């Protein structure tokens, strides 16, 4: 966390990143934030012993190969920088990696990753909206705490 900034400045910076990310996801902002848009090869993803899901999560979590379907990871980074205690950064990163790993693992376990992808694409708007709603609830708590610190 950037302790050098006062809590009010951290709230402003966090809100700016959240606004930009939300604007990108809702297409109000006419561009996307940077990503290393390369696919993880299918021979990695389909490994049945679980190592493919772990490698996929590692490569996604570190940004080695990353298509970002939503801008929420940028919000996660902003939370780590501006609102979370120092020890939460690795926890947030591991959570991101595990979440991405879970998605790949569930696609592989479904037996038909192509059908799983189609179902995800069909329900993408609802899934992304639910993720943003959950994020908004967490941000409300974090921002409230930062504002109490400044008060």
């Amino acid at each position: 966390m950037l302790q050098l900034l006062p809590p009010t400045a951290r709230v402003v910076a966090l809100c700016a990143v959240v606004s930009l990310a939300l604007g990108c996801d809702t297409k109000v902002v006419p561009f996307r934030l940077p990503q290393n848009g390369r696919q993880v090869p299918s021979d990695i993803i389909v490994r049945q012993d679980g190592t493919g899901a772990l490698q996929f999560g590692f490569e996604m979590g570190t940004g080695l190969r990353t298509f970002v379907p939503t801008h929420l990871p940028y919000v996660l980074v902003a939370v780590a920088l501006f609102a979370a205690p120092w020890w939460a950064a690795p926890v947030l990163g591991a959570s991101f990696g595990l979440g991405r790993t879970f998605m790949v693992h569930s696609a592989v376990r479904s037996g038909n990753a192509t059908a799983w992808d189609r179902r995800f694409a069909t329900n993408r708007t609802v899934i992304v909206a639910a993720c943003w709603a959950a994020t908004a609830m967490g941000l409300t708590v974090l921002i409230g705490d930062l504002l109490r610190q400044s008060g």
Side-chain angles (χ1 to χ4, degrees), residues 31-51:
F31 58 86
R32 292 188 53 80
L33 295 175
Q35 64 178 326
N36 187 7
R38 296 186 299 146
Q39 285 285 94
V40 175
S42 60
D43 63 320
I44 291 172
I45 295 172
V46 297
R47 292 184 195 152
Q48 295 297 320
D49 62 357
T51 61

Side-chain angles (χ1 to χ4, degrees), residues 44-118:
I44 291 172
I45 295 172
V46 297
R47 292 184 195 152
Q48 295 297 320
D49 62 357
T51 61
L54 289 173
Q55 183 176 346
F56 179 84
F58 174 79
E59 290 186 12
M60 295 297 282
T62 59
L64 292 174
R65 302 182 209 222
T66 309
F67 276 107
V68 183
T70 175
H71 286 79
L72 284 167
Y74 296 98
V75 173
L76 186 67
V77 169
V79 165
L81 283 173
F82 300 120
W86 67 268
W87 53 265
V91 173
L92 293 169
S95 298
F96 173 77
L98 287 171
R100 295 305 293 254
T101 299
F102 173 76
M103 286 184 64
V104 172
H105 190 65
S106 67
V108 170
R109 298 253 336 190
S110 74
N112 185 341
T114 303
W116 187 94
D117 285 341
R118 275 194 306 272

